[in-house]
Amino acid sequence: MNRIYLDNAATTPMDRAVIDAMLPMMESSFGNPSSIHTHGREVRNTIERARKSIAGLLNTSPAEIFFTSGGTEADNTAIVRSIEDFGITHAITSRLEHHAVLHTLEYMAKKGKIKLSYVELDDKGHIDLTHLEVLLRDNPKTLVSLMHGNNEIGNLLDLNVVGQLCEDYGAIFHSDTVQTMAHYRHDLQQLKIDFLVGAAHKFHGPKGIGFLYINAKSKITPFIHGGSQERNMRGGTENVYGIVGLAKALEIAYSGMDEHRKHVEALKARMIHRLSTELDGIEFNGDSANLERSLYTVLNVSFPPSEEADMFLFNLDINKISASGGSACTSGSDIGSHVLTALNVSPERPSVRFSFSKYNTVEEIDYVVDKLVSILKVTA
Ligand SMILES: Cc1ncc(COP(=O)(O)O)c(C=O)c1O
């Protein structure tokens, strides 16, 4: 068995067709898109074609799509610029957000720009919508930043419901959609949202390229100052091959989405079933085992405490399995998962996040479960 990659929420292998689409941009179409000669204009046209394709898939206008260096920059731009440009004095988020959101909001709070509220969670880690409404009702000029799909436990948020609440209370709504982009359809004519984001490396595209959707009604000023690129919204020569790869990866994802989803969902269901029936003391973190309310690409498993708990991921690695995880933070330490800590998962229990892609197979899942069974039998 070749090495098995089950860490697709961290990053995905690139699709061969994406690499093929990018190669000409490195080999021959090397002009600077800001140059007005033919070399430059050709590349500018390529960028605009990519933007149009992405906008078309998301059912929005190309004028609302801005390329960034990835998810982190897109999140930072939306949060920092909307707080400063719209006179936001209060932000609502959850303790389960990615650090691209949490650390940015905490920084803005530390600078005295906003008061930061954390919405309460239910015992599975879902947002308490009643509490969200209380926080919205009691505070004017609010930014809500809540992720669509959690990168560690997979919990999904209903963007329609939160978008409607934000509209009802006049709040700005940003969602970190890095883990759902290209895995679920986002229809921006239907969604009531100001900002959402994508990162190509999470859907078989290249690293270091992403985008920010900015609703035309929520215009912000630049986060990165410089040249007039991205219609004066982000200075810096464009990552042309990245942009081409991003658009190609999104096109491939949209054209095969239903089929890939069915395949990956079946892998996840098989793993849940085999782990629950063949191993004692298994738990699933958050709502990870709920196929309706969690990402089909993520399964976060909590294993019984054992002496070898610290060595668990290493043990998987030497058995040719790449997965990630760890455990909740022990008291007084911030090493470990802030998400599992917020969910009160015991730090004694090793947790592993298995995350799947269209390239994984039933044979791989069976091999991984067999290995887990033998590792745990040995350590028991
Ligand atoms: C939910 C979420 N948000 C943001 C990011 C950051 O994206 P990028 O690596 O493109 O900066 C990630 C990537 O790990 C993520 O999973």
Side-chain angles (χ1 to χ4, degrees), residues 243-279:
I243 291 171
V244 168
L246 162 61
K248 185 71 182 175
L250 199 64
E251 286 158 18
I252 295 171
Y254 265 72
S255 68
M257 197 181 290
D258 297 338
E259 184 196 329
H260 294 150
R261 178 174 178 159
K262 215 169 133 208
H263 170 70
V264 175
E265 233 161 31
L267 299 180
K268 175 170 168 174
R270 186 178 184 94
M271 193 161 188
I272 294 172
H273 175 74
R274 283 205 57 195
L275 288 176
S276 329
T277 49
E278 293 175 40
L279 282 168

Side-chain angles (χ1 to χ4, degrees), residues 327-331 333-338 340-341 345 347:
S327 42
C329 315
T330 44
S331 60
S333 134
D334 57 4
I335 299 166
S337 160
H338 68 282
L340 299 184
T341 306
V345 174

Side-chain angles (χ1 to χ4, degrees), residues 150-182:
N150 187 282
N151 52 303
E152 288 197 36
I153 53 171
N155 282 24
L156 283 167
L157 179 77
D158 189 331
L159 290 184
N160 290 310
V161 171
V162 176
Q164 185 60 55
L165 269 179
C166 289
E167 185 178 273
D168 293 348
Y169 288 93
I172 296 289
F173 181 29
H174 159 253
S175 183
D176 179 341
T177 47
V178 164
Q179 291 291 340
T180 53
M181 184 58 59

Side-chain angles (χ1 to χ4, degrees), residues 120-341:
E120 283 165 16
L121 307 167
D122 69 17
D123 59 347
K124 291 284 185 196
H126 290 294
I127 302 302
D128 178 339
L129 292 170
T130 312
H131 185 229
L132 177 60
E133 191 162 3
V134 170
L135 291 171
L136 279 166
R137 191 186 311 128
D138 293 350
N139 293 279
K141 291 268 179 204
T142 293
L143 165 71
V144 172
S145 181
L146 291 172
M147 72 204 310
H148 188 195
N150 187 282
N151 52 303
E152 288 197 36
I153 53 171
N155 282 24
L156 283 167
L157 179 77
D158 189 331
L159 290 184
N160 290 310
V161 171
V162 176
Q164 185 60 55
L165 269 179
C166 289
E167 185 178 273
D168 293 348
Y169 288 93
I172 296 289
F173 181 29
H174 159 253
S175 183
D176 179 341
T177 47
V178 164
Q179 291 291 340
T180 53
M181 184 58 59
H183 301 290
Y184 295 80
R185 286 173 209 282
H186 295 95
D187 181 346
L188 290 166
Q189 294 305 313
Q190 299 300 320
L191 274 180
K192 295 173 195 292
I193 194 159
D194 297 282
F195 305 101
L196 61 68
V197 307
H201 73 110
K202 307 290 187 182
F203 48 91
H204 309 291
K207 294 174 182 58
I209 184 73
F211 70 91
L212 171 63
Y213 157 79
I214 306 177
N215 189 316
K217 288 187 247 154
S218 314
K219 284 212 168 68
I220 50 173
T221 56
F223 181 65
I224 293 181
H225 298 269
S228 58
Q229 291 91 349
E230 294 301 283
R231 300 182 305 291
N232 287 313
M233 268 298 295
R234 182 187 187 262
T237 303
E238 295 88 339
N239 173 357
V240 183
Y241 14 85
I243 291 171
V244 168
L246 162 61
K248 185 71 182 175
L250 199 64
E251 286 158 18
I252 295 171
Y254 265 72
S255 68
M257 197 181 290
D258 297 338
E259 184 196 329
H260 294 150
R261 178 174 178 159
K262 215 169 133 208
H263 170 70
V264 175
E265 233 161 31
L267 299 180
K268 175 170 168 174
R270 186 178 184 94
M271 193 161 188
I272 294 172
H273 175 74
R274 283 205 57 195
L275 288 176
S276 329
T277 49
E278 293 175 40
L279 282 168
D280 290 333
I282 290 292
E283 288 168 12
F284 298 100
N285 291 317
D287 213 6
S288 192
N290 181 337
L291 292 174
E292 254 104 67
R293 296 191 75 191
S294 73
L295 289 167
Y296 56 89
T297 46
V298 170
L299 182 64
N300 196 312
V301 190
S302 161
F303 293 93
S306 70
E307 274 188 16
E308 284 81 3
D310 285 348
M311 301 295 285
F312 207 73
L313 283 172
F314 178 68
N315 229 326
L316 289 178
D317 198 31
I318 55 176
N319 280 289
K320 295 189 178 175
I321 300 161
S322 295
S324 67
S327 42
C329 315
T330 44
S331 60
S333 134
D334 57 4
I335 299 166
S337 160
H338 68 282
V339 172
L340 299 184
T341 306

Side-chain angles (χ1 to χ4, degrees), residues 91-144:
I92 303 172
T93 192
S94 91
R95 295 198 186 274
L96 308 185
E97 298 298 306
H98 190 274
H99 282 150
V101 166
L102 268 186
H103 286 171
T104 310
L105 285 168
E106 284 161 8
Y107 172 81
M108 294 304 273
K110 213 163 136 198
K111 285 266 169 193
K113 306 262 184 195
I114 49 161
K115 180 180 91 171
L116 186 55
S117 303
Y118 297 95
V119 66
E120 283 165 16
L121 307 167
D122 69 17
D123 59 347
K124 291 284 185 196
H126 290 294
I127 302 302
D128 178 339
L129 292 170
T130 312
H131 185 229
L132 177 60
E133 191 162 3
V134 170
L135 291 171
L136 279 166
R137 191 186 311 128
D138 293 350
N139 293 279
K141 291 268 179 204
T142 293
L143 165 71
V144 172

